[in-house]
């Protein structure tokens, strides 16, 4: 079968299948949410941002993080004051990275942690290094920049209905 024929056959199949999918009770929503991050404000940490994005994409199957100039998550570098984010916890926010702190702690872990807030995760400073949201809690020797299984499962659940949920913006570190 050539490509054109396959496309026609696929279109017919979709037209038939769509009403069945809509009416199927209990079917898990197969929604993949793409969230765009504008890297322009983070010139000193592009490799670390790339690694943070890769870590999240590997851990959560239904959320895809992509760098794009018109991203709904933006970045800013500051010197001192600590890293933090102002976010709605659902794919929109501003992440501020403190370059002084990034010289003490793993910058990849910091960036991945702040992205975690933008994906709806709260801080858990008393957690172990294996948790991303334990943040500075485990100390400067903690280099882990990957969410653990529980954190990844929570983000998957947070976006099970895509970007439908609307939440208030708040600032957390
Ligand atoms: Zn935090």
């Amino acid at each position: 079968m050539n490509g054109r024929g396959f496309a026609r056959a696929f279109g017919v199949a979709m037209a038939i299948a769509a009403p069945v999918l809509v009416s199927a009770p209990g079917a898990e929503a197969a929604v993949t949410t793409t969230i765009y991050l504008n890297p322009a404000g983070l010139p000193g940490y592009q490799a670390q941002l790339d690694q943070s994005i890769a870590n999240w994409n590997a851990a959560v199957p239904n959320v895809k993080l992509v760098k794009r100039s018109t991203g709904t998550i933006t970045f800013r570098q500051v010197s001192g004051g600590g890293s933090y984010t102002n976010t709605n916890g659902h794919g929109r926010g501003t992440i501020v990275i403190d370059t002084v702190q990034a010289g003490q702690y793993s910058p990849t872990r910091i960036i991945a942690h702040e992205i975690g807030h933008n994906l709806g995760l709260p801080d858990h400073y008393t957690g172990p290094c294996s948790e991303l949201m334990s943040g500075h809690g485990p100390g400067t020797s903690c280099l882990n920049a990957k969410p653990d299984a529980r954190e990844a499962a929570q983000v998957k659940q947070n976006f099970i209905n895509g970007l439908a949920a609307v939440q208030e913006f708040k600032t957390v570190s």
Side-chain angles (χ1 to χ4, degrees):
M1 184 183 290
N2 63 29
R4 181 179 291 262
F6 179 78
R8 272 204 302 270
F10 183 70
V12 170
M14 285 299 288
I16 294 168
V20 177
L21 284 172
V22 168
S23 62
E28 185 177 349
V31 178
T32 296
T33 302
T34 301
I35 297 172
Y36 297 99
L37 304 92
N38 181 347
L42 201 60
Y45 301 93
Q46 289 298 299
Q48 293 86 347
L49 175 59
D50 288 342
Q51 187 61 59
S52 298
I53 288 173
N55 290 353
W56 274 114
N57 284 340
V60 183
N62 62 327
V63 176
K64 183 174 170 57
L65 303 181
V66 177
K67 288 206 295 190
R68 195 176 73 174
S69 60
T70 54
T72 57
I73 297 175
T74 59
F75 294 87
R76 198 154 54 84
Q77 289 181 202
V78 297
S79 180
S83 304
Y84 60 94
T85 186
N86 178 259
T87 178
N88 72 344
H90 208 68
R92 303 183 72 90
T94 301
I95 293 174
V96 177
I97 297 299
D98 174 4
T99 59
V100 176
Q101 186 184 47
Q104 300 164 336
Y105 294 83
S106 159
T108 307
R109 177 170 166 85
I110 294 172
I111 294 166
H113 173 100
E114 301 302 343
I115 290 174
H117 285 309
N118 283 255
L119 301 177
L121 295 181
D123 282 314
H124 185 225
Y125 293 139
T126 57
C129 178
S130 56
E131 289 182 16
L132 195 50
M133 302 316 288
S134 58
H136 59 72
T140 55
S141 66
C142 177
L143 304 179
N144 173 48
K146 296 178 180 178
D148 73 4
R150 186 191 59 79
E151 292 171 326
Q154 182 61 58
V155 170
K156 179 184 177 184
Q157 185 59 41
N158 291 348
F159 287 88
I160 206 75
N161 293 316
L163 287 168
V166 177
Q167 299 171 30
E168 289 183 17
F169 279 78
K170 62 180 180 180
T171 298
V172 289
S173 60

